[in-house]
Amino acid sequence: SDSGSDSEDSSLSDSELQEAFARGALKPGLNVVLEERPKRRNDTDGLKQCLAEFRKQLEWVERLDVTLGPVADPVSQSASTSDAVDPENDFQREMSFYRQAQAAVLEALPRLRKLQVATRRPDDYFAEMAKSDQQMQKIRQKLKSKQEAMERSEKAKQLRAMRKYGKKVQVEILQRRQKEKKNMLNAVKKYQKGLSDKLDFLDEEQVSSQGNKKVNASQRTKKGPNAKRRYKNQKFGFGGKKKGSKWNTKESFNDVSSFQSKVAHNKGPGRGGKGGKGGKKALNKRPGKRARQKMKNRAR
């Protein structure tokens, strides 16, 4: 059997195995040489001798070695008296490291102060930075460019939002106007067909078209017409009948009390004619441009 052949091969000596391998009786890979594992031993004397060789008898201030257990946790003591730390619990394990470091600090600081060793960095301490000024300047410029890009993006967002809101308001205004126009046209059609005898839609249209101008209109009525309107009222009158206002009536035709023959025939002093001065030019003398402008300003 295979197991019997393996046991026989293992019992063979090295010379016999070499001869069998030379004849081709042994195939490579079938035999594995097992090395004997070294025996473990605790050489305490040798370890102490090595420790004595590299140990240096130096002062503690040169070594600064502190070996202590963790500080007692009052919370854990109140909860349980066991000091075992669960290695699977990350928080408990890290807290044990922290308390052990805390114990070392509480032990080492008083000893350092007693030996007059400074444990705080002086206020005027200057340490060279790991990065050069040129590199820090590049970093500042990059941060500044990023901040400016963010500000531009934020402004663009605000402008888009405002534009969107403006379009929305504009669409709402157009829709309201179209609705009012449609309602007015429907009311006009009803009035034309005789279905309604009310003209309230005219007042509504007037109010909707004016909008917020009511306050300004009331202020204008309180203050009265402006200077330009007053000048035109003074010059052209306050309205009334224009067409046919200069037609003669029977009474005006018979009234000749205001007739002056000298004025009518240009015979008066300063009226021109044969004995007058200036002729027709003096009769229709028009003031100059500057004088007319002064008169206009004075009327305002």
Side-chain angles (χ1 to χ4, degrees):
S1 64
D2 295 336
S3 61
S5 61
D6 292 339
S7 62
E8 290 176 0
D9 292 339
S10 60
S11 62
L12 296 176
S13 62
D14 294 338
S15 59
E16 293 176 15
L17 288 173
Q18 290 176 359
E19 290 176 0
F21 182 76
R23 289 194 309 267
L26 296 178
K27 295 181 180 180
L30 294 179
N31 297 283
V32 179
V33 179
L34 297 176
E35 297 180 356
E36 185 180 358
R37 293 182 180 181
K39 294 181 179 180
R40 296 179 180 178
R41 57 182 180 176
N42 187 11
D43 190 2
T44 308
D45 298 334
L47 292 174
K48 290 181 179 180
Q49 184 179 357
C50 292
L51 181 61
E53 288 177 358
F54 65 79
R55 177 182 290 177
K56 294 182 180 179
Q57 299 296 332
L58 299 175
E59 298 292 336
W60 179 83
V61 71
E62 298 292 339
R63 295 179 286 111
L64 296 178
D65 55 341
V66 178
T67 305
L68 292 172
V71 177
D73 190 2
V75 178
S76 63
Q77 282 185 357
S78 61
S80 64
T81 57
S82 62
D83 295 336
V85 178
D86 186 7
E88 300 298 332
N89 191 344
D90 296 339
F91 179 76
Q92 192 175 3
R93 187 176 65 251
E94 294 296 331
M95 281 302 297
S96 66
F97 295 156
Y98 172 76
R99 290 198 304 272
Q100 188 172 3
Q102 187 179 8
V105 170
L106 294 175
E107 175 68 22
L109 273 180
R111 296 174 67 177
L112 290 173
R113 289 171 183 168
K114 188 176 181 180
L115 296 173
Q116 297 181 358
V117 177
T119 57
R120 286 180 174 272
R121 181 177 296 176
D123 297 335
D124 57 348
Y125 179 79
F126 177 78
E128 187 177 357
M129 296 181 63
K131 296 181 180 179
S132 61
D133 294 341
Q134 291 80 5
Q135 190 173 0
M136 294 301 297
Q137 190 67 22
K138 290 181 181 178
I139 293 173
R140 291 191 192 95
Q141 291 177 359
K142 192 171 183 180
L143 291 175
K144 186 177 180 181
S145 62
K146 284 185 178 180
Q147 186 177 2
E148 290 177 354
M150 291 176 64
E151 290 178 357
R152 287 196 298 268
S153 176
E154 191 67 24
K155 287 183 180 179
K157 287 181 181 178
Q158 292 179 359
L159 289 175
R160 284 196 295 270
M162 291 174 64
R163 197 178 295 116
K164 188 175 180 180
Y165 179 73
K167 288 182 179 179
K168 182 179 178 182
V169 172
Q170 188 177 7
V171 169
E172 290 179 355
I173 292 174
L174 292 175
Q175 290 178 354
R176 189 178 72 246
R177 288 180 179 175
Q178 290 176 359
K179 185 177 180 181
E180 292 174 355
K181 184 177 180 181
K182 185 177 179 180
N183 295 335
M184 188 189 71
L185 291 176
N186 293 334
V188 170
K189 288 180 181 179
K190 288 181 180 179
Y191 181 78
Q192 289 175 350
K193 292 179 182 179
L195 300 176
S196 175
D197 56 349
K198 297 181 180 180
L199 297 176
D200 298 338
F201 59 89
L202 295 177
D203 299 334
E204 294 176 359
E205 177 64 20
Q206 186 177 3
V207 171
S208 62
S209 62
Q210 288 180 356
N212 295 329
K213 296 182 180 179
K214 291 182 178 181
V215 179
N216 298 332
S218 62
Q219 291 178 357
R220 284 199 298 270
T221 53
K222 290 180 181 179
K223 293 181 179 179
N226 54 10
K228 187 175 181 180
R229 183 72 265 168
R230 289 197 301 270
Y231 174 73
K232 288 189 176 182
N233 290 341
Q234 183 181 1
K235 185 176 181 181
F236 302 107
F238 294 89
K241 185 179 179 181
K242 297 293 190 299
K243 189 174 182 180
S245 60
K246 295 185 179 182
W247 289 356
N248 282 334
T249 60
K250 184 177 181 181
E251 291 77 10
S252 65
F253 178 76
N254 294 327
D255 186 11
V256 293
S257 59
S258 60
F259 176 75
Q260 297 180 4
S261 59
K262 294 182 179 181
V263 175
H265 298 290
N266 294 329
K267 293 183 179 180
R271 294 290 181 177
K274 294 182 180 180
K277 297 180 181 180
K280 292 183 180 180
K281 292 183 179 179
L283 181 64
N284 297 325
K285 186 177 180 181
R286 184 186 180 199
K289 183 177 180 181
R290 185 171 296 177
R292 295 198 306 272
Q293 190 67 27
K294 287 182 179 180
M295 291 169 58
K296 189 180 292 186
N297 295 336
R298 196 180 303 117
R300 289 179 183 177

